[in-house]
């Protein structure tokens, strides 16, 4: 199995940009300390788009026209928007459709049906997205932050710390780029559409709460307000920021919540997921069940299988007891070892026994496929295939 380093060799120039943006606190949106990405149409809701267009001296309906081009036809080129007066094209393009992302590298595997893109933003920060095409769906795994502040020791992203939050439009653009490639027939299997989105790339989505929620709205609202992807196809994965989970439940967006548990007991979870010291397993699961209750959506419990660390039969039993009778599904993820780490993925026997015990207790369980592993998933992580 080949692992092509994608970020490793570029980490040095990321650091050299010196762009850092500390979180103001877990679960809260970070505050830009060093400029911000240019404003883009996808950052704005309909009212704000109309206001922006009016400020430039154009009738508000021009905002809807540009929106239709961008979200409906996936066009980011104002010069080609021939239903706009020629004089308006340049002004509106410059004001609403700045180039936000540059492709640094595209890597494909699985005969081209899995494609990972490394992006560079306006300030040089790097992040990744992955497109995975299956016979019945296309899932895009997107980043919500450049880096991550949560410091989970098994995760490649966690090792580099947080560079900054991504803007709403930087998140949306990852999906639009994938949608464009599909529409243009660039992904084997003929022209297609994005059906699922998982926030399982770089970053902790709920630590960039407002921008992520705005991105979900943009992705799911119908054209011309947004891209029109079904909210039921969207999964937000969190390490367990309890207040933010409660807030998300109150948004009444029918998105799936994935909780990265990785251990059923606080003693181990404190080390695998350091934020557990602030919000322990009981609190995280209580917030998850409240979420399931208020949205009717099944919680996805993510569990990276690490040999000899969290894969003991007794932990399977404890996990099963904690999930018994709840609206939950367990996704076991074979660990994708990060460079230099002593940890490895559980062996097949341990994995099988873990699955057997969970299922025997009535807990629905699957092992995530290792799609994209040879291109190192998203930032050393495996993107979801089961959701
Ligand atoms: N920060 C969020 C979402 C991004 S990580 C979260 O942690 O949930 C997406 C998923 O990949 C999480 O379940 C995470 O625990 C998992 N993951 C991270 N590093 C991994 C690795 N080396 N091997 C397998 N899964 C990993
Ligand atoms: Fe951040 Fe998720 Fe990685 Fe933890 S697993 S460091 S929360 S991206």
């Amino acid at each position: 199995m080949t692992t092509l380093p994608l970020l490793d060799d570029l980490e040095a120039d990321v650091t050299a940009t010196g762009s850092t943006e500390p979180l103001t606190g877990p679960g809260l949106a970070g505050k830009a300390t060093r400029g911000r990405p240019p404003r883009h149409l996808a950052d704005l809701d309909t009212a704000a788009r109309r206001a922006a267009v009016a400020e430039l001296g154009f009738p508000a309906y021009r905002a809807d026209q540009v929106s239709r081009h961008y979200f409906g036809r996936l066009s980011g080129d104002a010069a080609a928007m021939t239903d706009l007066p020629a004089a308006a094209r340049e002004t509106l393009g410059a004001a609403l459709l700045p180039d936000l992302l540059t492709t640094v590298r595209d890597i494909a595997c699985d005969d081209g049906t899995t494609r990972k893109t490394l992006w560079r933003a306006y300030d040089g920060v790097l992040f990744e997205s992955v497109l995975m095409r299956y016979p019945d769906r296309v899932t895009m795994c997107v980043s919500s932050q450049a880096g991550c502040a949560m410091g989970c020791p098994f995760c490649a992203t966690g090792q580099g710390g947080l560079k900054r939050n991504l803007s709403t439009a930087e998140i949306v653009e990852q999906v639009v780029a994938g949608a464009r490639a599909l529409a243009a027939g660039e992904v084997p299997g003929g022209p297609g559409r994005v059906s699922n989105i998982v926030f399982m790339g770089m970053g902790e989505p709920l630590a960039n709460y407002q921008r992520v929620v705005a991105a979900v709205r943009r992705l799911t609202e119908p054209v011309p307000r947004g891209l029109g992807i079904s909210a039921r196809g969207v999964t937000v994965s969190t390490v367990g920021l309890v207040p933010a989970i409660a807030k998300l439940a109150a948004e009444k967006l029918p998105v799936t919540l994935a909780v990265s548990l990785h251990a059923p007991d606080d003693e181990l979870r404190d080390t695998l997921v350091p934020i557990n010291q602030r919000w322990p397993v009981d609190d995280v699961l209580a917030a998850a069940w409240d979420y399931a209750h208020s949205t009717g959506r099944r919680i996805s419990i993510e569990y990276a299988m690490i040999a000899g660390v969290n894969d003991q039969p007794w932990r399977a039993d404890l996990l099963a007891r904690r999930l018994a009778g709840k609206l939950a599904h367990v996704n076991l993820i074979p660990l994708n070892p990060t460079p230099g780490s002593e940890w490895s993925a559980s062996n097949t026997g341990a994995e099988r026994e873990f699955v057997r015990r969970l299922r025997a207790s009535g807990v629905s369980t699957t092992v995530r496929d290792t799609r994209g592993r040879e291109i190192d998933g998203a930032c050393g992580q495996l993107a979801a295939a089961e959701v």
Side-chain angles (χ1 to χ4, degrees):
M1 189 179 298
T2 45
T3 299
L4 303 175
L6 194 57
L7 272 182
D8 304 9
D9 52 337
L10 288 152
E11 208 56 65
D13 43 286
V14 175
T15 316
T17 66
S19 174
T20 54
E21 182 190 82
L23 278 182
T24 50
L28 301 173
K31 258 173 61 183
T33 52
R34 217 179 247 269
R36 57 176 64 217
R39 180 190 65 179
H40 186 281
L41 183 80
D43 287 314
L44 309 175
D45 63 17
T46 301
R49 283 176 215 165
R50 289 182 182 153
V53 164
E55 251 169 51
L56 294 167
F58 297 104
Y61 68 84
R62 298 281 180 220
D64 298 1
Q65 285 179 296
V66 179
S67 301
R68 217 169 275 285
H69 281 290
Y70 180 73
F71 288 107
R73 298 187 196 107
L74 308 171
S75 165
D77 178 12
M81 299 178 184
T82 48
D83 54 345
L84 298 176
R89 288 176 210 160
E90 201 179 320
T91 316
L92 290 176
L96 294 173
L97 297 168
D99 286 333
L100 292 181
L101 308 185
T102 310
T103 306
V104 177
R105 216 173 294 173
D106 264 324
I107 299 185
C109 68
D110 302 320
D111 294 328
T113 56
T114 301
R115 189 158 118 159
K116 169 163 146 173
T117 306
L118 177 64
W119 300 107
R120 186 192 302 276
Y122 83 106
D123 56 353
V125 301
L126 300 172
F127 51 91
E128 300 168 352
S129 60
V130 185
L131 181 153
M132 289 158 287
R133 184 166 209 174
Y134 299 90
D136 58 334
R137 67 190 187 282
V138 177
T139 299
M140 282 210 66
C141 176
V142 297
S143 295
S144 57
Q145 300 181 306
C148 182
M150 297 297 145
C152 306
F154 57 89
C155 166
T157 308
Q159 308 320 299
L162 177 70
K163 306 290 188 293
R164 68 168 170 82
N165 285 317
L166 299 187
S167 69
T168 297
E170 285 173 329
I171 297 168
V172 172
E173 277 270 270
Q174 294 170 58
V175 178
V176 168
R180 270 186 201 131
L182 280 163
E186 285 169 24
V187 182
R193 303 168 71 98
V194 177
S195 54
N196 296 70
I197 295 161
V198 297
F199 283 82
M200 292 190 180
M202 292 178 113
E204 166 50 44
L206 297 187
N208 186 16
Y209 185 86
Q210 273 160 8
R211 298 176 189 99
V212 165
V213 167
V216 171
R217 293 194 196 287
R218 267 344 78 78
L219 295 170
T220 57
E221 284 176 351
V223 176
R225 280 185 295 162
L227 272 179
I229 295 168
S230 164
R232 293 175 184 281
V234 176
T235 297
V236 173
S237 178
T238 179
V239 77
L241 306 186
V242 166
I245 293 174
K247 221 166 131 185
L248 187 66
E251 306 278 353
K252 300 283 178 217
L253 287 166
V255 300
T256 298
L257 183 72
V259 172
S260 296
L261 202 63
H262 308 310
D265 54 305
D266 287 323
E267 196 185 346
L268 179 57
R269 195 168 191 266
D270 277 350
T271 65
L272 293 181
V273 182
I275 200 73
N276 193 68
Q277 294 162 34
R278 179 144 173 199
W279 291 295
V281 174
D282 275 344
D283 297 14
V284 171
L285 290 180
W289 309 143
D290 284 348
Y291 187 89
H293 185 73
S294 63
T295 59
R297 310 282 303 156
R298 189 170 76 162
I299 304 296
S300 195
I301 301 286
E302 310 296 299
Y303 200 106
M305 296 290 285
I306 314 176
V309 173
N310 65 351
D311 61 353
Q312 303 83 354
W314 72 265
R315 281 205 162 89
D317 294 341
L318 179 57
L319 180 62
R321 281 201 296 282
R322 297 209 148 199
L323 305 185
K326 303 296 188 189
L327 200 53
H329 173 89
V330 175
N331 245 321
L332 299 175
I333 319 166
L335 182 82
N336 194 12
T338 54
S341 161
E342 286 165 19
W343 287 333
S344 56
S346 301
N347 66 40
T348 320
E351 185 183 281
R352 230 181 257 146
E353 180 60 10
F354 209 87
V355 172
R356 192 192 67 74
R357 284 172 181 259
L358 286 169
R359 287 190 182 151
S361 308
V363 177
S364 116
T365 305
T366 45
V367 179
R368 190 179 282 178
D369 83 6
T370 50
R371 190 93 179 233
R373 177 164 279 209
E374 62 186 274
I375 52 171
D376 221 11
C379 17
Q381 303 159 7
L382 295 178
E386 289 301 330
V387 282

